[in-house]
Amino acid sequence: NFRTPLPFHLALFTIDEAVRKVVGGDRGGRHLVSDRQAHVTLVSEGANTLDIGRVILGVHEPRGRLDSGALGTMGVGLPYCIAAALASSFEVQESSIHAGRPRDSGRHEPVVVAVVGDSAFGFSGMECETVCRLGLPVVI
């Protein structure tokens, strides 16, 4: 029932749909990411955002989701985003070097998507400054 302007579940479905478009959608029931599509890492935290997000937000490839675990520790979402963005950018650089091709070989840069609840964001929201200062590919 979507009578309100943007119910909680609809927001998560919208995020999942956007991520599917970036990674190439659903092919035959499996999410496959080609060499020319973006690698998306989902980072989620919070109470309802984390629990419901685990059900609604799909994982599109291995190591595609980071979250705070079963106990729902709050305040780790944006630091996880920073770590994932830095690790992904090093991974792209390293794979390009080992493949003997220039860095801009057609593969999209990795993207980290943060899905955090309002209270969880309050614990580490100032890390947005770090994300901006380092120019990291993070969508919050």
Side-chain angles (χ1 to χ4, degrees), residues 97-125:
I97 291 169
H98 291 305
R101 61 181 187 244
R103 186 159 186 255
D104 60 350
S105 62
R107 180 176 169 90
H108 294 287
E109 292 295 319
V111 177
V112 180
V113 177
V115 183
V116 297
D118 54 350
S119 294
F121 183 79
F123 283 93
S124 60

Side-chain angles (χ1 to χ4, degrees), residues 18-71:
V19 170
R20 284 174 190 252
K21 287 180 183 176
V22 170
V23 298
D26 189 10
R27 298 184 188 145
R30 294 179 45 122
H31 301 288
L32 302 173
V33 180
S34 78
D35 202 31
R36 294 192 167 272
Q37 293 165 334
H39 169 74
V40 176
T41 301
L42 288 170
V43 176
S44 57
E45 73 163 329
N48 292 330
T49 306
L50 174 63
D51 294 337
I52 298 171
R54 284 182 180 146
V55 176
I56 295 175
L57 300 172
V59 177
H60 302 282
E61 62 182 282
R63 297 182 302 169
R65 179 194 310 269
L66 292 172
D67 67 33
S68 56
L71 299 177

